[in-house]
Amino acid sequence: MPAIVLVGAQWGDEGKGKATDVLGSRVDHVVKYNGGNNAGHTVVVGDEKYALHLLPSGILTPGCTPVIGNGVVVDLSVLFEEIEGLSARGVDCSRLVVSASAHLITPYHRTLDKVTERFLGSRRIGTTGRGIGPAYADKINRVGLRVQDLFDEKILQQKVEGALEGKNQLLVKVYNRRAITADEVVDELLSYADRLAPMVADTGLVLTRALDAGKTVVFEGGQATLLDVDHGTYPFVTSSNATAGGACTGSGVPPNRIDRVVAVVKAYTTRVGEGPFPTELTDEVGEGLRRAGGEFGTTTGRPRRTGWYDALVARYSARVNGVTDFVLTKLDVLTGYERIPVCVAYEVDGVRHDEMPMTQTDFHHAVPVYEELPGWSEDLSGVRRFEDLPRAAREYVLRLEELSGARISAIGVGPDREEIVVRHDLLEG
């Protein structure tokens, strides 16, 4: 049985939960391997809508084991708030497993994230202010706190005190904020220890044993390819590796265990936060896409920037991630357009680029070169077979497939988890 990496192919919010739905009950483990509660999935089950922020989408699949891997940064207050909210709605969260090596987001991380972003002014990155970046910075600086530290109070106290020595200087002398005491941080963190303890495990070992036993494991990336700290539109990125390579470092499962890489790509393009966006529509057309697609952040509620499909972004994602299959979402949102532009190249200072420009400067100045495809007016929500889509919709999908570097194996035609057209089985290859 396969190990499948599931990634976003654009700037996030592509609908990765839809791809997990395609796999359905055949998935034994779903692993979140990067990010924190700075991104979310909206999953629709029947008449119920679930907004997931930190938990893997597999939490909604009966019998599936959801795993928070070592590459995730965990805000315990958010984790338990989400667990309590789902449990109140009848969702079984008892199978959740959390890596002992996952790093923790603390009150001082959240505070620093917010004041730093405000201090940057016009140079702001567009973070969510949830402490993600500062927590990852501490991880790299080797002064972070891990889940396992909760179970050694003496070590926890020492680590918090050490971390706050420099941070309080910054808060008080640079940002004119009050100092944070080690005791208040330790007390907050320890208040979760007893509830968390039964969930904590060596998740790399758990997942390796699952694969050895023939189980199907899905590695679910938070954020998306162009938000990857190494391969995204830096510096307007997240602080972790959201690409397929991050699945290995963020879970403890080696590369030779990965069988397939499924990238989720929206039938148009959106992004949240600052940074260049060549196909962005700032007019009424863009606002129409936002309204029709419900383009508001699951976690933040922020309106997403919208634009036409960018084939260079998809092709770049296919290359960087080693994509074997695309899942195309929200095709239904494009219903009603007479003509649908698709970006097939960029022009930068009079020079045509058929691949993503090498430098951020060139990408910032990229002007999209469009190819227009015919639109359709039919309702797609009831379609379940590719051949039953309107001809123009089929041609649109096939042209995107031709431009994007990998086959399109499934197509979302509505928000419900059943509203999907499957062309190729993601598990069979």
Side-chain angles (χ1 to χ4, degrees), residues 58-256:
I59 196 81
L60 299 173
T61 302
C64 179
T65 299
V67 178
I68 293 177
N70 59 275
V72 177
V73 288
V74 180
D75 186 324
L76 293 173
S77 64
V78 173
L79 175 65
F80 284 105
E81 182 181 348
E82 195 163 338
I83 288 172
E84 289 161 8
L86 289 175
S87 297
R89 297 175 67 182
V91 177
D92 179 16
C93 299
S94 64
R95 300 173 68 92
L96 176 66
V97 182
V98 180
S99 172
S101 296
H103 278 247
L104 296 171
I105 296 172
T106 69
Y108 53 80
H109 291 134
R110 295 191 293 267
T111 299
L112 281 168
D113 200 0
K114 291 172 183 174
V115 298
T116 302
E117 185 76 350
R118 283 198 291 268
F119 191 77
L120 287 172
S122 63
R123 295 178 290 110
R124 64 188 181 276
I125 303 299
T127 76
T128 58
R130 285 165 165 75
I132 311 298
Y136 275 116
D138 276 4
K139 176 179 179 177
I140 298 304
N141 285 328
R142 293 162 294 183
V143 293
L145 305 177
R146 297 192 292 178
V147 166
Q148 58 189 271
D149 295 329
L150 292 177
F151 310 113
D152 188 328
E153 187 173 344
K154 184 177 179 180
I155 288 292
L156 180 65
Q157 184 80 29
Q158 290 174 352
K159 288 189 172 184
V160 172
E161 288 175 354
L164 281 174
E165 284 181 7
K167 290 177 174 57
N168 274 333
Q169 294 288 321
L170 192 63
L171 284 171
V172 173
K173 295 182 179 179
V174 176
Y175 297 122
N176 196 30
R177 298 290 173 134
R178 75 168 183 87
I180 297 173
T181 69
D183 287 346
E184 65 184 287
V185 175
V186 170
D187 288 347
E188 178 180 322
L189 294 176
L190 287 178
S191 70
Y192 300 107
D194 289 343
R195 282 187 288 171
L196 186 65
M199 308 174 190
V200 179
D202 179 346
T203 51
L205 180 61
V206 169
L207 294 170
T208 298
R209 286 177 173 170
L211 290 170
D212 288 344
K215 303 292 186 181
T216 298
V217 178
V218 172
F219 300 85
E220 182 180 69
Q223 290 81 41
T225 298
L226 292 189
L227 294 176
D228 184 280
V229 69
D230 285 297
H231 304 292
T233 50
Y234 190 91
F236 303 101
V237 293
T238 192
S239 300
S240 62
N241 288 113
T243 41
C248 297
T249 55
S251 70
V253 173
N256 63 350

Side-chain angles (χ1 to χ4, degrees), residues 71 91 102 129 131 201 253 265 269 284 366 374 388 405 421:
V91 177
V253 173
V265 63
T269 310
E284 292 181 0
D388 293 335
V421 173

Side-chain angles (χ1 to χ4, degrees), residues 340-371:
I340 305 173
V342 174
C343 176
V344 297
Y346 302 144
E347 188 175 280
V348 183
D349 296 330
V351 178
R352 181 184 171 108
H353 290 248
D354 293 306
E355 300 290 345
M356 288 276 286
M358 181 179 70
T359 70
Q360 181 76 355
T361 298
D362 281 351
F363 188 65
H364 181 75
H365 292 101
V367 177
V369 176
Y370 286 115
E371 173 184 311

Side-chain angles (χ1 to χ4, degrees), residues 32 35-40 53 128 130 132 223 238-239 299-300 302:
K32 182 164 183 170
N37 57 302
N38 55 335
H53 307 284
T128 58
R130 285 165 165 75
I132 311 298
Q223 290 81 41
T238 192
S239 300
T299 295
T300 64
R302 288 189 293 182

Side-chain angles (χ1 to χ4, degrees), residues 13 19 44 130 151 194 216 220 241 266 268 273 280 296 309 328 341 397 402 428:
D13 309 305
V44 179
R130 285 165 165 75
F151 310 113
D194 289 343
T216 298
E220 182 180 69
N241 288 113
K266 204 174 288 186
Y268 48 99
E280 182 173 14
F296 300 89
Y309 188 87
L328 182 73
V397 171
E402 182 181 15
E428 297 299 325

Side-chain angles (χ1 to χ4, degrees), residues 42-65:
T42 298
V43 182
V44 179
V45 184
D47 295 330
E48 295 289 324
K49 181 181 287 188
Y50 298 90
L52 304 176
H53 307 284
L54 186 56
L55 293 171
S57 60
I59 196 81
L60 299 173
T61 302
C64 179
T65 299

